[in-house]
Amino acid sequence: MKGLITKSTGSWYTLRDEFGKEWDARIRGKFRLNEIKHTNPLAVGDHVEYELDKDQLAVITDIHPRQNYLIRRAVNLSKKTHIIASNIELAFLIATISNPRTSTGFIDRFLVTCEAYEIPVMLVFNKSDEWDQEDKSAYVELKNLYESAGYEVLSVSALQGENLAELKLKLKDKVALVSGHSGVGKSTLVNALSPGLDLKTKTVSDFNKKGQHTTTFAQMYVWPFGGFVIDTPGIKEFGLVDMDKDEIQDYFPEIFALKEECKFYNCIHTIEPKCAVRKAVEHEEVAVSRYESYLTFLDEIEQSETDYSKD
């Protein structure tokens, strides 16, 4: 029988069958050995084969090939990765201009991760009802920046309902993953799109203007307008895992588009002469913040390769 993993808490899972009924599930023992690289052999979004035992418990016997998946570095296991979710048709990152501010570095890290695993992505800036004139100007600047790089950008207000109808059209009939650092109103927005879910929400701390975590593990829910949403934990940082320094440039669309114009085929756009990317940055054809993110990620990967070589 075929099923879909909708919840994972470690060794136990929730499985949704072809008729929409959910079952408690576990993995058949030897199945664990199939995945060595990741800390979790199964993830939310996985399509699986299962059978029911005498206690009406779903025993997962096989996993179907994944279309894609999103990973992060596992906590306290720097060489291991954790699959956040799989088979994602659209990832939408919830960001905020202020209260708290989402940095371009965080946004770029998410975008690069999605690009690496071929996951379509869009940026959704929440809390537009709170914006003053300075915030509105900042949004226009960021919107122009990311749209010029090829990404779709939308402003919404979960509390006032602004642009939620447009967002629903983007999400309809898709398996969508929603992410964002704590405090951006992720659960509030999901609740506004699907009031029956009633996800837990918390306010931003007045002390440090940072959000409080409300989600502890990924979980899939059914959209009332068609499709599914995968809610993810508030993520501080995505680890740039399974990437090398030569390929990171391919995950910045505007840099990838220019690489063939560089003098040297193996140019990594740092100190090489006649580099088309650095020239584009100087002429403001590539955003400085995007180039700085690229350099940061490049250094991070080089440092990671150095650290691993010492072990």
Side-chain angles (χ1 to χ4, degrees):
M1 294 184 288
K2 294 180 172 60
L4 174 66
I5 301 299
T6 60
K7 183 177 179 180
S8 169
T9 58
S11 57
W12 285 90
Y13 306 89
T14 300
L15 180 151
R16 179 184 176 91
D17 68 20
E18 295 177 282
F19 305 100
K21 183 175 180 179
E22 294 193 331
W23 304 84
D24 291 329
R26 63 178 174 84
I27 297 174
R28 178 167 284 170
K30 63 180 182 179
F31 185 83
R32 288 181 177 276
L33 301 177
N34 294 341
E35 292 270 10
I36 300 173
K37 189 176 184 180
H38 307 295
T39 58
N40 54 328
L42 281 177
V44 170
D46 278 340
H47 294 277
V48 299
E49 297 288 334
Y50 73 99
E51 55 192 36
L52 295 177
D53 67 10
K54 58 183 177 60
D55 298 317
Q56 295 297 290
L57 180 71
V59 180
I60 299 165
T61 58
D62 197 12
I63 177 175
H64 294 195
R66 292 174 175 129
Q67 173 186 333
N68 57 41
Y69 54 85
L70 193 62
I71 64 174
R72 65 178 174 183
R73 203 176 300 282
V75 178
N76 299 326
L77 290 169
S78 60
K79 291 186 181 180
K80 288 275 192 175
T81 56
H82 178 84
I83 304 175
I84 299 170
S86 68
N87 300 314
I88 303 159
E89 294 177 293
L90 175 66
F92 65 112
L93 179 67
I94 310 303
T96 40
I97 299 297
S98 58
N99 190 35
R101 184 183 73 87
T102 303
S103 69
T104 54
F106 180 88
I107 293 172
D108 293 339
R109 186 177 293 267
F110 184 84
L111 294 177
V112 163
T113 304
C114 289
E115 289 282 352
Y117 294 97
E118 299 182 347
I119 299 171
V121 60
M122 69 179 295
L123 299 177
V124 179
F125 285 87
N126 192 22
K127 303 186 181 181
S128 61
D129 56 293
E130 299 180 3
W131 294 349
D132 57 20
Q133 193 56 50
E134 184 177 343
D135 292 334
K136 291 177 181 178
S137 298
Y139 168 71
V140 170
E141 185 176 335
L142 288 170
K143 179 179 172 68
N144 291 337
L145 187 161
Y146 286 105
E147 285 185 340
S148 67
Y151 296 104
E152 192 167 6
V153 181
L154 183 68
S155 66
V156 302
S157 167
L159 295 181
Q160 300 295 326
E162 178 191 344
N163 288 338
L164 294 193
E166 183 177 348
L167 182 56
K168 284 181 181 180
L169 288 177
K170 304 291 184 184
L171 301 172
K172 181 177 169 58
D173 297 329
K174 291 186 174 70
V175 176
L177 177 138
V178 56
S179 191
H181 60 67
S182 298
V184 296
K186 179 165 59 72
S187 296
T188 302
L189 179 56
V190 172
N191 284 339
L193 291 167
S194 182
L197 291 182
D198 195 26
L199 299 187
K200 293 180 180 178
T201 61
K202 287 187 178 179
T203 57
V204 174
S205 167
D206 289 332
F207 175 70
N208 56 15
K209 296 301 181 183
K210 293 182 180 179
Q212 305 173 59
H213 293 284
T214 56
T215 310
T216 57
F217 48 82
Q219 186 165 351
M220 179 182 284
Y221 302 94
V222 180
W223 286 128
F225 47 84
F228 298 89
V229 58
I230 301 173
D231 188 24
T232 60
I235 299 170
K236 291 183 179 179
E237 293 287 352
F238 283 91
L240 301 176
V241 292
D242 285 350
M243 299 184 197
D244 60 50
K245 64 180 182 180
D246 295 320
E247 68 177 331
I248 190 73
Q249 61 181 294
D250 295 344
Y251 307 137
F252 286 79
E254 67 272 48
I255 293 177
F256 179 77
L258 292 169
K259 62 184 292 187
E260 296 296 330
E261 298 178 24
C262 293
K263 179 178 180 179
F264 299 100
Y265 76 93
N266 59 347
C267 183
I268 58 172
H269 323 302
T270 54
I271 59 173
E272 300 88 346
K274 297 185 178 179
C275 170
V277 172
R278 295 211 326 275
K279 181 179 178 181
V281 174
E282 291 171 3
H283 289 81
E284 299 183 348
E285 294 165 359
V286 169
V288 173
S289 67
R290 292 279 286 169
Y291 180 65
E292 289 176 344
S293 288
Y294 166 72
L295 294 179
T296 297
F297 301 160
L298 193 66
D299 288 343
E300 186 175 319
I301 291 171
E302 289 178 338
Q303 183 60 51
S304 177
E305 291 175 349
T306 300
D307 291 342
Y308 287 176
S309 66
K310 292 178 181 178
D311 293 343

